[in-house]
PDB file of all heavy atoms in Angstrom:
ATOM      1  N   LEU A  23      -9.720  38.687 -23.031  1.00 87.00           N
ATOM      2  CA  LEU A  23      -9.998  39.021 -24.342  1.00 87.00           C
ATOM      3  C   LEU A  23     -11.147  40.010 -24.470  1.00 87.00           C
ATOM      4  O   LEU A  23     -11.064  40.962 -25.217  1.00 87.00           O
ATOM      5  CB  LEU A  23     -10.263  37.626 -25.183  1.00 87.00           C
ATOM      6  CG  LEU A  23     -10.691  37.824 -26.638  1.00 87.00           C
ATOM      7  CD1 LEU A  23      -9.491  38.447 -27.365  1.00 87.00           C
ATOM      8  CD2 LEU A  23     -11.177  36.528 -27.081  1.00 87.00           C
ATOM      9  N   ASN A  24     -12.158  39.735 -23.830  1.00 89.00           N
ATOM     10  CA  ASN A  24     -13.449  40.549 -23.872  1.00 89.00           C
ATOM     11  C   ASN A  24     -13.177  41.890 -23.343  1.00 89.00           C
ATOM     12  O   ASN A  24     -13.606  42.974 -23.863  1.00 89.00           O
ATOM     13  CB  ASN A  24     -14.561  39.929 -23.048  1.00 89.00           C
ATOM     14  CG  ASN A  24     -15.106  38.713 -23.803  1.00 89.00           C
ATOM     15  OD1 ASN A  24     -14.853  38.502 -24.909  1.00 89.00           O
ATOM     16  ND2 ASN A  24     -15.785  37.893 -23.039  1.00 89.00           N
ATOM     17  N   SER A  25     -12.241  41.997 -22.242  1.00 85.00           N
ATOM     18  CA  SER A  25     -11.874  43.354 -21.707  1.00 85.00           C
ATOM     19  C   SER A  25     -11.056  44.156 -22.851  1.00 85.00           C
ATOM     20  O   SER A  25     -11.342  45.346 -23.015  1.00 85.00           O
ATOM     21  CB  SER A  25     -11.031  43.217 -20.472  1.00 85.00           C
ATOM     22  OG  SER A  25     -11.764  42.691 -19.406  1.00 85.00           O
ATOM     23  N   LEU A  26     -10.167  43.512 -23.393  1.00 87.00           N
ATOM     24  CA  LEU A  26      -9.257  44.208 -24.376  1.00 87.00           C
ATOM     25  C   LEU A  26     -10.158  44.620 -25.671  1.00 87.00           C
ATOM     26  O   LEU A  26     -10.003  45.746 -26.074  1.00 87.00           O
ATOM     27  CB  LEU A  26      -8.076  43.207 -24.950  1.00 87.00           C
ATOM     28  CG  LEU A  26      -7.039  43.054 -23.856  1.00 87.00           C
ATOM     29  CD1 LEU A  26      -6.046  41.984 -24.401  1.00 87.00           C
ATOM     30  CD2 LEU A  26      -6.332  44.308 -23.509  1.00 87.00           C
ATOM     31  N   LYS A  27     -11.054  43.771 -26.102  1.00 90.00           N
ATOM     32  CA  LYS A  27     -11.898  44.068 -27.188  1.00 90.00           C
ATOM     33  C   LYS A  27     -12.684  45.343 -26.815  1.00 90.00           C
ATOM     34  O   LYS A  27     -12.968  46.195 -27.633  1.00 90.00           O
ATOM     35  CB  LYS A  27     -12.770  43.000 -27.636  1.00 90.00           C
ATOM     36  CG  LYS A  27     -12.062  41.714 -28.205  1.00 90.00           C
ATOM     37  CD  LYS A  27     -12.058  41.893 -29.645  1.00 90.00           C
ATOM     38  CE  LYS A  27     -11.406  40.581 -30.143  1.00 90.00           C
ATOM     39  NZ  LYS A  27     -11.020  40.743 -31.613  1.00 90.00           N
ATOM     40  N   SER A  28     -13.329  45.381 -25.538  1.00 90.00           N
ATOM     41  CA  SER A  28     -14.163  46.516 -25.123  1.00 90.00           C
ATOM     42  C   SER A  28     -13.383  47.750 -24.996  1.00 90.00           C
ATOM     43  O   SER A  28     -13.901  48.931 -25.057  1.00 90.00           O
ATOM     44  CB  SER A  28     -14.859  46.239 -23.783  1.00 90.00           C
ATOM     45  OG  SER A  28     -13.965  46.185 -22.717  1.00 90.00           O
ATOM     46  N   LEU A  29     -11.942  47.624 -24.800  1.00 87.00           N
ATOM     47  CA  LEU A  29     -11.095  48.807 -24.752  1.00 87.00           C
ATOM     48  C   LEU A  29     -10.659  49.303 -26.130  1.00 87.00           C
ATOM     49  O   LEU A  29      -9.893  50.315 -26.256  1.00 87.00           O
ATOM     50  CB  LEU A  29      -9.900  48.564 -23.933  1.00 87.00           C
ATOM     51  CG  LEU A  29     -10.106  48.425 -22.344  1.00 87.00           C
ATOM     52  CD1 LEU A  29      -8.864  47.885 -21.693  1.00 87.00           C
ATOM     53  CD2 LEU A  29     -10.553  49.673 -21.830  1.00 87.00           C
ATOM     54  N   GLY A  30     -11.263  48.567 -27.183  1.00 90.00           N
ATOM     55  CA  GLY A  30     -10.861  49.116 -28.519  1.00 90.00           C
ATOM     56  C   GLY A  30      -9.724  48.280 -29.193  1.00 90.00           C
ATOM     57  O   GLY A  30      -9.406  48.696 -30.398  1.00 90.00           O
ATOM     58  N   PHE A  31      -9.247  47.215 -28.703  1.00 89.00           N
ATOM     59  CA  PHE A  31      -8.164  46.521 -29.289  1.00 89.00           C
ATOM     60  C   PHE A  31      -8.720  45.436 -30.174  1.00 89.00           C
ATOM     61  O   PHE A  31      -8.681  44.227 -29.767  1.00 89.00           O
ATOM     62  CB  PHE A  31      -7.219  46.016 -28.237  1.00 89.00           C
ATOM     63  CG  PHE A  31      -6.565  47.030 -27.423  1.00 89.00           C
ATOM     64  CD1 PHE A  31      -6.898  47.344 -26.140  1.00 89.00           C
ATOM     65  CD2 PHE A  31      -5.398  47.702 -28.017  1.00 89.00           C
ATOM     66  CE1 PHE A  31      -6.288  48.268 -25.383  1.00 89.00           C
ATOM     67  CE2 PHE A  31      -4.859  48.837 -27.219  1.00 89.00           C
ATOM     68  CZ  PHE A  31      -5.256  49.059 -25.977  1.00 89.00           C
ATOM     69  N   GLU A  32      -9.401  45.816 -31.310  1.00 90.00           N
ATOM     70  CA  GLU A  32      -9.982  44.802 -32.136  1.00 90.00           C
ATOM     71  C   GLU A  32      -8.976  43.742 -32.810  1.00 90.00           C
ATOM     72  O   GLU A  32      -9.562  42.904 -33.247  1.00 90.00           O
ATOM     73  CB  GLU A  32     -10.791  45.659 -33.214  1.00 90.00           C
ATOM     74  CG  GLU A  32     -11.908  46.469 -32.676  1.00 90.00           C
ATOM     75  CD  GLU A  32     -12.943  45.563 -31.955  1.00 90.00           C
ATOM     76  OE1 GLU A  32     -13.267  44.425 -32.480  1.00 90.00           O
ATOM     77  OE2 GLU A  32     -13.515  46.035 -30.842  1.00 90.00           O
TER      78      GLU A  32
END
Side-chain angles (χ1 to χ4, degrees):
L23 175 64
N24 290 338
S25 294
L26 291 172
K27 294 268 188 196
S28 73
L29 290 170
F31 297 102
E32 293 299 321

